[in-house]
Amino acid sequence: MEKELEQFRQEVERQRAGRRGGSGPFPEPLRAFAVRYLEYAQEKGDTVKAVVERLGVSEPTLQAWRRGQTPGSKARRGEQRAAPLVPVVVHPRKEEGLRAATTFAVVSPQGWRVEGLGLEEAAQLLRRLAC
């Protein structure tokens, strides 16, 4: 986990480099890692303050990521927010007579779509997206 933490910190610094007026939104995989790291650290007895110091992000930012938000992304009155990606576990059916799908499509709440994936490719993509 410490290696991933160092990679996270380096990526945070890279994201911030060259940007004026703040760092802008961080990519979903970075936000997902930070939330997983917070949960991991809290299980070991660490405080949120200690975790944000190690991650190099502010506490409000980390808490927003924990809620599935990005800082500054508060929905306007009446405006729908896209739901965050939700982890799903897929178990193969052992029922005979059901024809297994040969390809899969992964669709995000933001609308991007990856089609034509085999089962292992789809699972690998979801793992890399930290789902």
Side-chain angles (χ1 to χ4, degrees), residues 19-42:
R19 292 187 180 175
R20 291 182 285 149
S23 63
F26 288 91
E28 174 60 30
L30 283 180
R31 296 190 310 256
F33 171 80
V35 171
R36 280 194 322 272
Y37 185 80
L38 173 63
E39 292 168 356
Y40 165 81
Q42 284 183 319

Side-chain angles (χ1 to χ4, degrees), residues 84-106:
L85 292 175
V86 177
V88 177
V89 177
V90 178
H91 298 281
R93 292 188 182 193
K94 296 188 180 186
E95 301 172 22
E96 291 185 14
L98 288 178
R99 193 170 145 225
T102 56
T103 62
F104 296 88
V106 176

Side-chain angles (χ1 to χ4, degrees), residues 22-120:
S23 63
F26 288 91
E28 174 60 30
L30 283 180
R31 296 190 310 256
F33 171 80
V35 171
R36 280 194 322 272
Y37 185 80
L38 173 63
E39 292 168 356
Y40 165 81
Q42 284 183 319
E43 285 175 7
K44 293 190 170 273
D46 284 339
T47 64
V48 173
K49 183 177 179 177
V51 172
V52 297
E53 287 175 7
R54 273 181 282 190
L55 289 172
V57 298
S58 71
E59 186 172 340
T61 295
L62 184 57
Q63 295 294 2
W65 291 351
R66 193 180 205 180
R67 291 186 306 271
Q69 300 173 330
T70 56
S73 69
K74 293 184 169 88
R76 294 185 194 120
R77 197 176 297 229
E79 188 177 296
Q80 292 282 336
R81 279 186 13 105
L85 292 175
V86 177
V88 177
V89 177
V90 178
H91 298 281
R93 292 188 182 193
K94 296 188 180 186
E95 301 172 22
E96 291 185 14
L98 288 178
R99 193 170 145 225
T102 56
T103 62
F104 296 88
V106 176
V107 182
S108 78
Q110 293 80 20
W112 57 259
R113 182 178 184 95
V114 179
E115 297 183 29
L117 300 173
L119 179 59
E120 183 55 37

